Amino acid sequence: MKFDLEWLREYLETDADADTLAERLTHCGLLVETRDEVDSTEVWDIEVTTNRPDAMNHRGLAREAAVAVKGRLKTLQHELEETTESAQELAAVEIRDPDLCSRYVARVIRGVRLIPSPQWLQDRLERCGVRPINAIVDATNYVLLETGQPLHAFDLDRLAGRRIVVRRANAGEILETLDGLERKLETDDLVIADAERAVALAGVMGGADSEIGDTTIDVLLESAHFDALSVRRSARRFAIHTEASHRFERGADPEMAPVAADLAARLIAELTGAKVCRGQIDVCPKPWKPTDHEFGISALGRFAGLEISASEVERILAGLEFAPRLDGDRVICTPPSFRGDIERTADLYEEIIRHVGYEAIPAELPILGTPPGRRHPNWQLIDRGRDAAVRAGLAEVVTWAFIEPQVDRRLEDWPLCPGKSVSLVNPLASTQAVMRRSLVPSLLGAARETLNQGERSLALFEQGRVFSVDHEGEMHERERLALVLSGGGAGWPGVDRVGFSELKGVVENILRDTAFPDIGWRRGGAPWLEQSEGAELVDAAGRVIGVCGRLGSEEAARWGLKQDLLVAELDLDAAAAEPVLPKFRPLPRFPAITADMTIEHQLDLPYSEIEAAVWDLAGERIEKVSMEARYSGKGLPAGHVRSTLRLVYRHPDRSLTQEEVNEAQEGLRSALSGRFDVQFT
Amino acid sequence: MGVARLDEVRAAFLEDLGQAGKDASAVEAVRVKYAGRRSGLLLDLTAALRDLPKEERRDYGRALNDLKQDIGKCLDEAREASISGAAAPQDMVDISLPGMALTRGAEHPVNLVRRKIEEIFLRMGYDVEAGPEIEDDWHNFEALNIPSDHPARDDHDTFYVTGDRLLRTHTSPVQARVMENRKPPIRIIVPGKVYRRDSDLRHSPMFHQIEGLLVDEGISFGNLKATLETFLHALFSGHGVDVRFRPSYFPFTEPSAEVDITCIFCGGSGCAVCSRSGWIEILGSGMVDPRVFERVGIDSERYTGFAFGLGLDRVAMLMYGIPDLRQLFSGDQRLTRQFA
């Protein structure tokens, strides 16, 4: 909020210069964000937090400043000259709903003229961001910025029956507000009405019908106190935000209404040459009642971590108008009407501590019997996955968790789809309307953007949650890790273009590092993945815990991807909670002998079955089997392939001879031919 | 023959070697002349041992050994000195060529920052907690003293999902969940994703926070100050930041404090980043409001505590000089790879 320094100083007795004032205000909780020199004064933009409506005006801020710089707040003079004619005889006020309006003060001013206000007043308003309109409206705004009390001027002649009725609106009642819009009211809205119809939305905005204009002679000035919640609900429903609603919503001062009415009436009379009628019409069905609070000074000291003297406590509370009474260690005080935010002891502690200054409190680490901190298993799990992906050379990205409904629908076919999707009621955009059920679409979008930037190689991953809802309405969140490879991938040596083999290598490393249990691979993932290069990963119970393969051409086309992409997604929640500690195996003491075996077989005999058979048949003699080479094409019948396996033979207690290995190879060959339709070359 | 002869050979060797200088082939010729395996002078000198009278052999043998060692050592040194001139140009590796580009993986800057912060608090004995991102109104607002229609809800533009659930607008609901289920002492931090319905240069509908909470008997405002000062000095070690506490307002703490550090870009003298103030707002904190304790069933007479929270994205932007929040969520691997 904007404040005029020269204006502020009118309420303040102090020798403090502007720098000191700004610094001390900042230290007591009113952050001076910017300072601009304008003419002979400075305009300060101060952040006033929502709990402090009392400081959203010059006088209230001056009160804080007086305590902060140990100065004095000047008393407010609001005497005024009145005519003999009584306001009570010219107008009447009735409050029908006292739960929403605890007090309504009106004054009548006769003989106004619609002229501009003087330059000094216009300047002050403009410095505070308020547009000058005419002397009458400007006067009400001026007093608002001075005291925080919102005021409204009605054209008295345009109030039917010269009567103010404060009541809930009738259902469907129409009010044209000052901004020219017709508002259809509900029974929750509090209105100011005349004898016939609503003329203002209470505490929010006046009505066009009763607005003062060129023909206005007599003015009824409203200075009232409305319920914060009621004003807030109306203002929100109609999306109106005014200086008045801003203050009422946060809680105005119930005792300020009569004072502000006098100040504004006096100012209007001065500016326009009008006369103020005798007396106020003051209807107050629910007078404000003060409450006493009590606390101990020593308890305050323990809470703060600093002993605070009784005289300092007294100075601060007195300056804030809390009327402190001291009795030994006990303090009894009465928060003023403008401090509705003070409800309990902690609130009083805060008032004192912030004026003592946070900087005055010595920093002291708590003494703790402290066991070492422990990370939630969920964090351990997802960081294991993250570390594994980084170790594989991938770069982490973070993307938004919402996706397009259209893409979401296609995820029904994704083998790792967790259930029904969760939609946002109020998305920012229709393309961000559903919480994602897979990380893959976000990564495809990211991949497309990056490739469009001219990148050739991709190796990226994301770790994050996917969301779903079951038929009972229960929400579910699962931790996932997804990755995308393309072009040269992460720049692995000897790899020009990544294929399924590189993808599987990365996925296998991540599975191992993240401590997944035994995982089986089976064909799957279409139509998202190419049928020929798609796999589902299943755990021992047959649940799909991962998907992995080349992005299908149809899906790639939908995303506008021209370059081949390999994708994978893993359900991290399926991994073990704790990784198993590796167990040491004695290093071999005798040399190994390596022998190759080339097997010609049909393509539909998977390598995994051949390898399993090798282990089954020769497991006690070998320590390692690997795929050395694979050949198909010229010289081989269609549908045939030649696989060269490399076997490492080793005996734990002695050196093997070549003859023994040859013999073992021979035995293995004949055993394999007994099991499969294979030939050896 | 005798020891005198050895001295002559030594002198001649040193002269020859001096003339060979750094010429590798000349050094090699000297080696062949003196220490060659077939006809080197040292062989003759060794053979001469047998012809000496018995009483001279011991001295001679000892001197000969010294000579052999010295010659070997001098030759080694001379050879090493001449090596640069020795290799033929075509065998030389251009050591200025770049090494093989073995790409390393990289973690997102937000997670780098999160782990740094976790590390600091784990050492101070805090647990790292987690909670759901789809929350209910109670944990996100009510339990934290933000009833419906509270003006503070204006700052939390909320995404609602099917049913009465919402996307958490801060990590604080996890505080409430932990306090409901655990007895003090409680020391936790909670990192995680949060969501607000806001999108511009400085706002993203999804971002990251980290939250901290300590509840025990006799916890004071001074304890809060020391803990956060310790934390910020550790996080920004190398910048030597000053820390400033300013009164502020949050519905769930009383009193509340905004915490500023001296601007790490200008050192406090004022620049564009800190709007010329010399200070950067880094976290919000305060003593837990007794109303929050009452709502989650903790005895507010017996226990006090403090809470704090900060934006991980903001810290990452400050630490690494990233100007635009939304770039963090662009999904561009080139951003992340800068932090490998």
Side-chain angles (χ1 to χ4, degrees):
Chain A
M1 183 186 163
K2 293 236 165 64
F3 290 89
D4 179 333
L5 178 61
E6 178 191 68
W7 192 357
L8 182 72
R9 280 193 182 278
E10 284 181 11
Y11 309 107
L12 195 56
E13 265 177 39
T14 176
D15 298 329
D17 60 16
D19 290 350
T20 312
L21 261 180
E23 194 201 320
R24 294 319 304 167
L25 278 173
T26 295
H27 275 279
C28 78
L30 294 148
L31 172 66
V32 180
E33 289 187 306
T34 58
R35 289 170 60 177
D36 291 311
E37 278 185 42
V38 181
D39 304 327
S40 58
T41 181
E42 280 185 35
V43 175
W44 289 3
D45 196 353
I46 297 186
E47 184 188 314
V48 186
T49 51
T50 53
N51 62 324
R52 295 300 306 279
D54 66 289
M56 294 174 185
N57 60 77
H58 284 75
R59 217 186 128 69
L61 187 70
R63 182 181 302 110
E64 285 288 331
V67 179
V69 299
K70 300 193 166 69
R72 214 177 65 82
L73 180 71
K74 290 184 193 166
T75 353
L76 193 60
Q77 307 293 338
H78 57 101
E79 297 76 26
L80 75 171
E81 260 181 49
E82 298 175 332
T83 59
T84 51
E85 192 176 21
S86 164
Q88 308 258 11
E89 281 159 27
L90 295 169
V93 172
E94 178 193 352
I95 298 176
R96 285 207 192 136
D97 288 304
D99 57 326
L100 302 186
C101 175
S102 60
R103 187 168 200 177
Y104 196 105
V105 174
R107 267 200 177 270
V108 175
I109 305 151
R110 307 202 71 171
V112 298
R113 285 180 301 142
L114 206 67
I115 53 168
S117 41
Q119 198 57 46
W120 68 266
L121 197 153
Q122 294 199 18
D123 287 346
R124 280 196 173 174
L125 292 183
E126 280 187 37
R127 282 180 209 131
C128 299
V130 174
R131 194 164 51 92
I133 295 169
N134 58 54
I136 302 164
V137 174
D138 291 356
T140 60
N141 284 332
Y142 185 86
V143 175
L144 166 77
L145 294 174
E146 181 181 28
T147 65
Q149 172 66 47
L151 298 129
H152 187 68
F154 292 100
D155 184 333
L156 183 56
D157 292 326
R158 288 163 80 173
L159 292 176
R162 294 183 159 249
R163 207 178 153 69
I164 289 286
V165 181
V166 186
R167 60 164 168 83
R168 284 182 163 84
N170 302 319
E173 195 170 0
I174 303 287
L175 170 68
E176 187 190 340
T177 40
L178 277 176
D179 50 13
L181 294 177
E182 286 210 339
R183 312 282 182 172
K184 193 171 171 198
L185 305 174
E186 292 180 14
T187 52
D188 280 346
D189 295 317
L190 186 72
V191 296
I192 312 302
D194 58 16
E196 289 162 9
R197 71 220 191 286
V199 293
L201 192 54
V204 182
M205 193 179 263
D209 283 353
S210 56
E211 189 181 1
I212 50 169
D214 290 335
T215 57
T216 305
I217 301 163
D218 297 344
V219 161
L220 181 134
L221 183 68
E222 163 195 295
S223 183
H225 188 257
F226 301 114
D227 177 65
L229 219 58
S230 157
V231 170
R232 181 172 166 77
R233 284 179 182 154
S234 294
R236 277 179 78 93
R237 199 170 60 251
F238 295 115
I240 309 177
H241 183 260
T242 57
E243 295 280 341
S245 70
H246 188 79
R247 284 169 179 79
F248 279 126
E249 279 180 28
R250 283 156 182 76
D253 176 3
E255 296 291 280
M256 185 49 81
V259 179
D262 286 356
L263 290 171
R266 184 173 71 189
L267 190 55
I268 291 171
E270 269 172 31
L271 298 180
T272 70
K275 303 281 183 218
V276 181
C277 296
R278 177 166 52 83
Q280 294 182 334
I281 306 170
D282 184 353
V283 184
C284 185
K286 278 176 47 184
W288 174 75
K289 285 194 198 71
T291 316
D292 284 351
H293 290 264
E294 193 181 331
F295 65 93
I297 293 176
S298 49
L300 164 69
R302 282 194 300 277
F303 181 78
L306 170 75
E307 211 172 292
I308 303 170
S309 72
S311 59
E312 182 70 349
V313 169
E314 189 171 24
R315 180 188 75 82
I316 292 167
L317 289 180
L320 295 174
E321 300 180 35
F322 280 51
R325 284 90 75 197
L326 271 66
D327 177 14
D329 188 52
R330 308 303 300 166
V331 180
I332 301 168
C333 64
T334 317
S337 57
F338 47 83
R339 292 303 302 272
D341 59 310
I342 305 294
E343 288 175 16
R344 53 167 71 210
T345 312
D347 302 324
L348 295 167
Y349 286 176
E350 174 176 35
E351 293 305 297
I352 296 159
I353 295 172
R354 71 184 174 88
H355 274 294
V356 165
Y358 285 3
E359 73 280 6
I361 293 176
E364 193 186 339
L365 278 175
I367 298 162
L368 308 166
T370 308
R374 173 195 130 273
R375 301 179 77 230
H376 191 284
N378 196 62
W379 283 111
Q380 297 181 32
L381 172 74
I382 62 182
D383 279 347
R384 271 206 318 271
R386 182 175 278 116
D387 288 341
V390 169
R391 229 173 285 151
L394 312 189
E396 184 184 23
V397 299
V398 178
T399 61
W400 290 347
F402 345 92
I403 61 171
E404 241 181 297
Q406 233 180 320
V407 176
D408 174 68
R409 276 194 290 280
R410 295 209 298 280
L411 282 172
E412 299 285 344
D413 295 329
W414 183 242
L416 217 48
C417 186
K420 292 262 158 289
S421 57
V422 178
S423 303
L424 293 178
V425 175
N426 54 341
L428 266 179
S430 60
T431 52
Q432 304 165 12
V434 185
M435 298 305 287
R436 58 187 172 186
R437 290 188 283 178
S438 161
L439 308 183
V440 168
S442 319
L443 284 191
L444 294 181
R448 178 184 52 203
E449 295 308 312
T450 312
L451 291 172
N452 284 348
Q453 300 277 320
E455 286 288 281
R456 292 277 168 272
S457 293
L458 294 180
L460 50 93
F461 78 99
E462 179 164 13
Q463 193 287 313
R465 291 186 193 174
V466 298
F467 305 86
S468 65
V469 59
D470 62 24
H471 2 269
E472 270 138 41
E474 204 58 42
M475 303 288 169
H476 298 280
E477 300 179 18
R478 294 188 74 82
E479 297 286 358
R480 289 280 177 87
L481 190 145
L483 59 101
V484 165
L485 301 178
S486 190
W492 295 287
V495 178
D496 299 330
R497 253 179 101 218
V498 289
F500 189 85
S501 155
E502 284 77 20
L503 176 68
K504 185 169 174 180
V506 168
V507 167
E508 281 177 329
N509 276 347
I510 295 174
L511 289 173
R512 195 181 49 239
D513 290 356
T514 320
F516 272 87
D518 280 345
I519 295 301
W521 293 65
R522 70 180 184 212
R523 213 169 270 291
W528 276 83
L529 302 181
E530 283 300 347
Q531 204 166 9
S532 57
E533 284 184 72
E536 293 173 359
L537 284 67
V538 288
D539 66 6
R543 277 180 313 145
V544 177
I545 60 95
V547 192
C548 174
R550 184 181 301 277
L551 185 68
S553 51
E554 215 172 293
E555 194 58 36
R558 282 203 186 95
W559 290 92
L561 286 159
K562 292 181 197 80
Q563 188 170 320
D564 267 359
L565 236 65
L566 292 134
V567 300
E569 183 166 36
L570 299 173
D571 198 34
L572 287 182
D573 284 327
E578 288 281 343
V580 180
L581 276 183
K583 202 161 180 328
F584 173 76
R585 281 184 311 250
L587 299 176
R589 288 184 297 137
F590 296 94
I593 292 181
T594 301
D596 289 354
M597 180 178 290
T598 300
I599 308 170
E600 189 186 319
H601 59 92
Q602 288 190 326
L603 251 176
D604 58 11
L605 174 60
Y607 168 77
S608 58
E609 282 188 31
I610 301 177
E611 192 191 310
V614 169
W615 281 109
D616 185 28
L617 295 165
E620 74 275 16
R621 278 179 293 248
I622 55 173
E623 69 173 25
K624 194 178 168 200
V625 184
S626 57
M627 169 65 96
E628 189 55 23
R630 202 160 159 97
Y631 174 80
S632 61
K634 218 170 156 190
L636 282 180
H640 278 233
V641 65
R642 204 178 274 156
S643 300
T644 301
L645 274 58
R646 177 156 293 177
L647 287 73
V648 178
Y649 286 85
R650 195 195 301 270
H651 196 284
D653 303 321
R654 62 183 172 83
S655 296
L656 289 171
T657 63
Q658 189 64 50
E659 289 70 41
E660 284 177 287
V661 171
N662 291 348
E663 214 172 286
Q665 287 276 88
E666 204 39 61
L668 184 56
R669 280 193 196 97
S670 60
L672 283 172
S673 7
R675 212 176 263 204
F676 304 118
D677 178 16
V678 292
Q679 287 165 324
F680 298 92
T681 45
Chain B
M1 288 305 246
V3 177
R5 167 77 183 135
L6 297 181
D7 290 340
E8 284 168 34
V9 172
R10 176 187 299 266
F13 166 77
L14 288 174
E15 200 188 324
D16 286 350
L17 192 64
Q19 276 175 6
K22 287 195 172 179
D23 181 341
S25 49
V27 170
E28 177 62 11
V30 173
R31 185 190 72 76
V32 172
K33 179 175 171 191
Y34 291 90
R37 280 192 202 170
R38 294 218 186 109
S39 57
L41 258 174
L42 285 174
L43 293 176
D44 297 345
L45 295 173
T46 310
L49 184 68
R50 266 177 283 138
D51 304 333
L52 283 175
K54 220 174 182 181
E55 60 276 15
E56 284 180 35
R57 277 187 197 172
R58 216 174 119 197
D59 284 350
Y60 182 87
R62 201 172 282 164
L64 178 62
N65 248 342
D66 287 350
L67 180 62
K68 278 183 182 169
Q69 278 184 11
D70 289 350
I71 286 180
K73 206 170 135 202
C74 288
L75 283 170
D76 281 347
E77 281 168 12
R79 226 174 339 195
E80 210 160 291
S82 68
I83 259 173
S84 54
Q90 64 266 32
D91 297 334
M92 279 197 303
V93 170
D94 180 353
I95 55 161
S96 72
L97 284 172
M100 180 191 260
L102 296 170
T103 315
R104 286 181 301 162
E107 207 168 340
H108 194 272
V110 166
N111 279 314
L112 293 175
V113 167
R114 167 177 62 81
R115 293 217 209 185
K116 262 183 218 237
I117 296 177
E118 283 183 8
E119 191 59 37
I120 295 167
F121 280 103
L122 283 166
R123 271 185 273 151
M124 290 201 272
Y126 287 69
D127 293 340
V128 185
E129 283 300 331
E133 289 172 23
I134 300 183
E135 257 300 353
D136 51 41
D137 191 83
W138 166 260
H139 289 101
N140 197 74
F141 290 125
E142 295 276 343
L144 300 168
N145 196 30
I146 315 175
S148 55
D149 291 312
H150 193 288
R153 287 208 181 189
D154 284 356
D155 301 332
H156 293 243
D157 249 329
T158 310
F159 282 115
Y160 289 92
V161 302
T162 336
D164 57 350
R165 302 299 187 84
L166 47 85
L167 301 188
R168 66 178 178 195
T169 56
H170 47 181
T171 41
S172 311
V174 184
Q175 279 188 21
R177 286 178 177 275
V178 170
M179 284 193 282
E180 281 173 341
N181 293 310
R182 219 186 276 174
K183 292 220 172 326
I186 294 170
R187 290 178 283 274
I188 57 164
I189 57 164
V190 188
K193 281 187 181 138
V194 301
Y195 303 85
R196 287 188 199 175
R197 210 175 163 281
D198 211 348
S199 186
D200 59 42
L201 272 179
R202 297 179 56 197
H203 299 94
S204 160
M206 186 192 89
F207 57 105
H208 301 80
Q209 280 188 340
I210 194 160
E211 185 87 7
L213 173 74
L214 183 140
V215 182
D216 207 343
E217 289 178 33
I219 296 301
S220 73
F221 192 84
N223 295 155
L224 173 151
K225 277 186 70 176
T227 302
L228 294 181
E229 277 177 6
T230 306
F231 158 59
L232 290 170
H233 286 147
L235 183 62
F236 293 99
S237 63
H239 289 285
V241 293
D242 285 338
V243 179
R244 173 175 89 167
F245 292 78
R246 272 189 297 116
S248 186
Y249 170 69
F250 307 107
F252 32 90
T253 49
E254 185 84 22
S256 306
E258 290 275 9
V259 184
D260 303 335
I261 53 168
T262 36
C263 178
I264 57 174
F265 297 98
C266 62
S269 56
C271 66
V273 177
C274 59
S275 322
R276 319 253 151 243
S277 70
W279 294 97
I280 292 181
E281 212 172 285
I282 196 80
L283 56 81
S285 64
M287 301 298 287
V288 178
D289 193 306
R291 269 166 288 217
V292 173
F293 280 149
E294 280 154 24
R295 277 162 204 243
V296 296
I298 285 182
D299 181 356
S300 64
E301 296 288 319
R302 182 168 164 200
Y303 295 106
T304 50
F306 59 76
F308 56 89
L310 67 158
L312 287 174
D313 320 87
R314 189 172 152 67
V315 175
M317 289 166 72
L318 283 176
M319 277 197 162
Y320 302 115
I322 302 166
D324 179 356
L325 172 64
R326 288 180 304 186
Q327 252 174 24
L328 287 175
F329 310 120
S330 62
D332 197 327
Q333 60 174 5
R334 293 173 303 171
L335 175 119
T336 314
R337 294 233 183 253
Q338 298 179 22
F339 306 99

